[in-house]
Amino acid sequence: MAYEDRTYHGIQGVGGDKEERRPARLLVEKPEDGPTQRRNATVLRDLKAKDEELGGFGWGYNGGGTSRTAAAVLADALDLGTPEKAGLSMSEWPQDDTLVALREDFCVDFLSQFCDEWRLGRAAVLRWARGWYLQRDVAELPAALHDLPPLVNVGV
């Protein structure tokens, strides 16, 4: 399978009464080159939290919403299908113990540090995940981690 570049774009929801309340959004975008890439990114899909009634997506802390966001990003970045099919979902059984540990470490290393709006490239997710597997001597890698995308030299 050929590598597809994507960016994960989190937009924090707005609380309040029912009329004003908007849940957090997690978009998968096709990045565009150039200084205006954020404005020109094409939305490929809007990821949905299966268990929205439990709080949906979240970040900037370590909790259930953060774990749901991590499951969605990792399942998409690693081409594992949905978080439920991948064994990453908190609400589905059986869960894959390795993927659950990967999900929770991703929360700590990335998502708990994020602010209201953020973007994260798929290549960064894949490189982090590959390092995570290698540090733990896990030999069986998801297929997306076998051939990582080339590093791009960005001028300063």
Side-chain angles (χ1 to χ4, degrees), residues 18-100:
K18 274 191 170 182
E19 289 79 39
E20 292 180 17
R21 189 156 196 246
R22 285 180 285 152
R25 292 184 67 197
L26 183 55
L27 306 174
V28 181
E29 300 172 340
K30 180 182 183 331
E32 300 292 333
D33 291 333
T36 60
Q37 68 180 4
R38 291 183 181 178
R39 283 181 280 193
N40 295 335
T42 302
V43 175
L44 298 172
R45 58 192 160 277
D46 193 342
L47 298 177
K48 302 291 182 195
K50 180 180 179 194
D51 39 11
E52 186 72 45
E53 66 279 356
L54 298 176
F57 294 131
W59 48 84
Y61 65 97
N62 200 359
T66 309
S67 290
R68 282 185 287 281
T69 303
V73 169
L74 289 167
D76 190 85
L78 297 172
D79 292 328
L80 298 175
T82 66
E84 295 76 29
K85 287 182 184 174
L88 280 159
S89 174
M90 297 175 357
S91 61
E92 300 286 328
W93 297 97
Q95 292 185 339
D96 179 300
D97 291 338
T98 300
L99 290 175
V100 169

Side-chain angles (χ1 to χ4, degrees), residues 134-146:
L134 294 175
Q135 286 177 340
R136 284 153 189 80
D137 291 325
V138 178
E140 193 171 323
L141 299 174
L145 298 179
H146 287 270

Side-chain angles (χ1 to χ4, degrees), residues 82-119:
T82 66
E84 295 76 29
K85 287 182 184 174
L88 280 159
S89 174
M90 297 175 357
S91 61
E92 300 286 328
W93 297 97
Q95 292 185 339
D96 179 300
D97 291 338
T98 300
L99 290 175
V100 169
L102 176 77
R103 179 191 74 207
E104 294 309 311
D105 285 347
F106 187 77
C107 289
V108 170
D109 287 355
F110 285 97
L111 298 174
S112 66
Q113 311 300 315
F114 285 169
C115 58
D116 288 350
E117 186 171 355
W118 52 271
R119 283 183 169 80

Side-chain angles (χ1 to χ4, degrees), residues 142-154:
L145 298 179
H146 287 270
D147 294 313
L148 294 181
L151 289 172
V152 177
N153 188 5
V154 179

